[in-house]
C-alpha cells in the first residue's frame, strides 16, 4: 500500500470521528472526499451505509429565522430539520442539502445541487434547485453508451 492511500484512509477516519463527535449517525462503508460541513445540530443528521459524499454542506437549521425572532419578539422560535441520506447514495461536490430533507436509497445528487425537496429512491437529481433528471435505470443506460 502506498503512502498516499494510507494518508487518504487516515484522513477519512479523522473526518468520520469528527462527525461522530458532532452527533452524526453514521452507517458503514462511508466515503467522504473534500470538505463535508454539517450544521451545528449534528444529531439531526443520519448517513446510511455505502454512501459517498464528494464535499457538501448539510444544513440542519434555517439561520434566517433570526430576523423573524426580532420582528415577532419571540426568542424561542426555531426552524430545524433532520437530514437523512439513505443507503447507497452519492452526493456530488459542492452540493447543499437543506434542513428536513431525505435522500432516498440508491440515489444520486449531482455536483453543485441545492436540494430543497426530498429525493425519492432510485433517482438522479441535479441543479439549483435540484430537480429530477432521470431514474437510476436510465442513468445506467446512459453510462453504458
Amino acid at each position: 500500500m502506498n503512502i498516499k492511500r494510507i494518508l487518504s484512509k487516515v484522513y477519512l477516519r479523522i473526518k468520520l470521528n469528527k462527525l461522530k463527535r458532532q452527533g452524526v449517525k453514521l452507517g458503514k462503508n462511508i466515503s467522504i472526499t473534500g470538505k463535508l460541513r454539517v450544521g451545528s445540530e449534528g444529531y439531526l443528521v443520519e448517513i446510511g451505509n455505502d454512501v459517498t459524499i464528494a464535499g457538501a454542506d448539510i444544513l440542519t437549521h434555517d439561520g434566517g429565522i433570526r430576523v423573524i425572532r426580532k420582528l415577532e419578539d419571540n426568542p424561542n422560535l426555531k426552524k430545524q430539520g433532520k437530514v437523512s441520506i439513505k443507503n447507497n447514495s452519492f452526493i456530488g461536490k459542492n452540493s447543499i442539502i437543506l434542513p428536513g430533507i431525505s435522500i432516498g436509497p440508491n440515489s444520486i445528487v449531482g455536483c453543485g445541487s441545492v436540494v430543497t425537496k426530498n429525493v425519492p429512491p432510485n433517482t438522479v437529481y441535479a441543479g439549483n434547485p435540484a430537480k429530477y433528471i432521470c431514474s437510476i435505470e436510465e442513468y445506467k443506460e446512459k453510462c453504458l453508451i
Side-chain angles (χ1 to χ4, degrees):
M1 194 180 287
N2 68 26
I3 189 74
K4 190 173 183 179
R5 189 169 178 161
I6 292 170
L7 287 175
S8 178
K9 286 186 176 202
V10 169
Y11 290 140
L12 176 59
R13 183 156 305 200
I14 290 168
K15 287 178 191 178
L16 293 176
N17 285 335
K18 180 181 176 191
L19 290 171
K20 283 180 186 177
R21 284 193 307 276
Q22 289 177 277
V24 176
K25 294 175 194 84
L26 299 172
K28 297 177 183 172
N29 300 318
I30 295 172
S31 176
I32 300 171
T33 60
K35 289 186 179 183
L36 172 60
R37 294 183 288 212
V38 174
S40 55
E41 298 84 11
Y43 59 89
L44 292 174
V45 178
E46 185 174 309
I47 301 172
N49 300 323
D50 303 306
V51 171
T52 299
I53 302 175
D57 290 324
I58 299 175
L59 306 178
T60 55
H61 68 278
D62 180 350
I65 203 75
R66 296 178 82 202
V67 173
I68 306 300
R69 282 187 204 143
K70 292 286 187 186
L71 290 175
E72 300 291 322
D73 194 30
N74 186 347
N76 297 321
L77 193 62
K78 294 181 181 178
K79 185 177 178 192
Q80 297 176 331
K82 181 178 179 179
V83 174
S84 179
I85 303 172
K86 304 293 185 186
N87 296 342
N88 195 38
S89 294
F90 173 83
I91 309 298
K93 186 174 178 75
N94 296 326
S95 292
I96 300 170
I97 302 173
L98 297 181
I101 297 298
S102 177
I103 308 294
N106 310 311
S107 295
I108 297 171
V109 173
C111 294
S113 296
V114 178
V115 184
T116 61
K117 294 181 181 174
N118 291 338
V119 175
N122 306 304
T123 58
V124 177
Y125 270 64
N128 180 3
K131 294 183 182 185
Y132 176 80
I133 302 299
C134 63
S135 71
I136 285 295
E137 282 301 314
E138 291 169 315
Y139 183 72
K140 182 173 103 176
E141 292 299 318
K142 290 178 184 181
C143 291
L144 294 174
I145 298 174

